[in-house]
């Protein structure tokens, strides 16, 4: 029994170290003055602006579509429900270079220009990240006990009041978590964007270009910045998960 526990602990430590050691190694070995160079790099800040704008817009679009779909899947029974839910995970499993080619063919066919445009970046980001918004919304609506809503309705609350004042606040931490995960995934996308819109350059494309043209010396500072940003987003996710747990403990009086 002790041997099994020792093996489990050893594997757990190896897993954590496999994730953390390369991250912290890169951060602590990045030369401090290189960050000063990044702060003066206009191309870098332009890529930050493009990436954040694209990730924000794509996450909003994904949430706008994912929220009603999540409610439908979580609360309604209809034919092929499980198939439709499975389809929402396709963007995760399709290679993202293939996503870029697929979207490029489709939008070219219908006559909408997306090549080397911000709209092309948003479309690519939205496609690869929308699964996270949908799955989080589904989890959120499934976490709310329908009896809570039925109780509110039996006490005279309208359907819209029950949804917006009771259900939605309980689901909100899941919605926020889905938005953040979608934002993070969109921010890191490179494969589809390289095919659709190399310009204007997003952060991952800029990292790729700097590495190809100048090697590690120019790519490492930007990479370190992206890692720090990812750590911030991770901390925000943990905070929202804890807030979600606290919300579940609250009692509602109607």
């Amino acid at each position: 029994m002790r041997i099994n526990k020792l093996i489990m602990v050893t594997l757990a430590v190896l897993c954590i170290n496999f994730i953390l050691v390369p991250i912290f190694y890169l951060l602590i070995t990045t030369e401090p003055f290189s960050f000063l160079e990044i702060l003066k790099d206009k191309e870098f800040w332009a890529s930050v602006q493009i990436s954040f704008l694209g990730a924000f817009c794509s996450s909003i679009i994904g949430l706008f579509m994912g929220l009603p779909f999540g409610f439908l899947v979580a609360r309604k029974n209809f034919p092929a429900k499980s198939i439709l839910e499975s389809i929402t995970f396709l963007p995760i499993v399709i290679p993202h270079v293939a996503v870029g080619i697929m979207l490029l063919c489709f939008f070219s066919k219908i006559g909408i220009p997306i090549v080397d445009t911000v709209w092309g970046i948003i479309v690519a980001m939205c496609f690869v990240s929308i699964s996270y918004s949908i799955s989080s919304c589904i989890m959120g609506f499934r976490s709310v006990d329908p009896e809570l809503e039925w109780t509110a309705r039996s006490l005279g609350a309208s359907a819209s009041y029950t949804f917006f004042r009771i259900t939605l606040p309980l689901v909100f931490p899941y919605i926020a978590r889905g938005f953040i995960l979608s934002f993070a995934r969109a921010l890191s996308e490179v494969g589809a964007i390289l095919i659709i819109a190399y310009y204007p350059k997003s952060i991952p494309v800029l990292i790729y270009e700097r590495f190809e043209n100048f090697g590690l010396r120019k790519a490492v500072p930007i990479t370190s910045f992206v890692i720090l940003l990812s750590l911030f987003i991770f901390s925000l996710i943990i905070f929202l998960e804890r807030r979600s747990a606290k919300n579940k403990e609250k009692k509602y009086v109607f």
Side-chain angles (χ1 to χ4, degrees), residues 213-225:
N213 294 336
F214 305 104
L216 286 173
R217 189 177 64 86
K218 290 292 185 179
V220 164
I222 304 177
T223 304
S224 297
F225 173 85

Side-chain angles (χ1 to χ4, degrees), residues 8-52:
M8 291 177 64
V9 171
T10 302
L11 291 175
V13 171
L14 287 174
C15 179
I16 294 299
N17 286 334
F18 181 75
I19 297 171
L20 292 181
V21 170
I23 293 174
F24 286 110
Y25 175 80
L26 184 67
L27 293 177
I28 64 177
T29 56
T30 302
E31 298 178 356
F33 74 88
S34 63
F35 284 105
L36 297 177
E37 294 180 358
I38 289 296
L39 293 176
K40 300 176 183 179
D41 191 334
K42 293 182 180 180
E43 187 178 31
F44 167 73
W45 289 112
S47 70
V48 170
Q49 182 179 0
I50 290 296
S51 291
F52 273 77

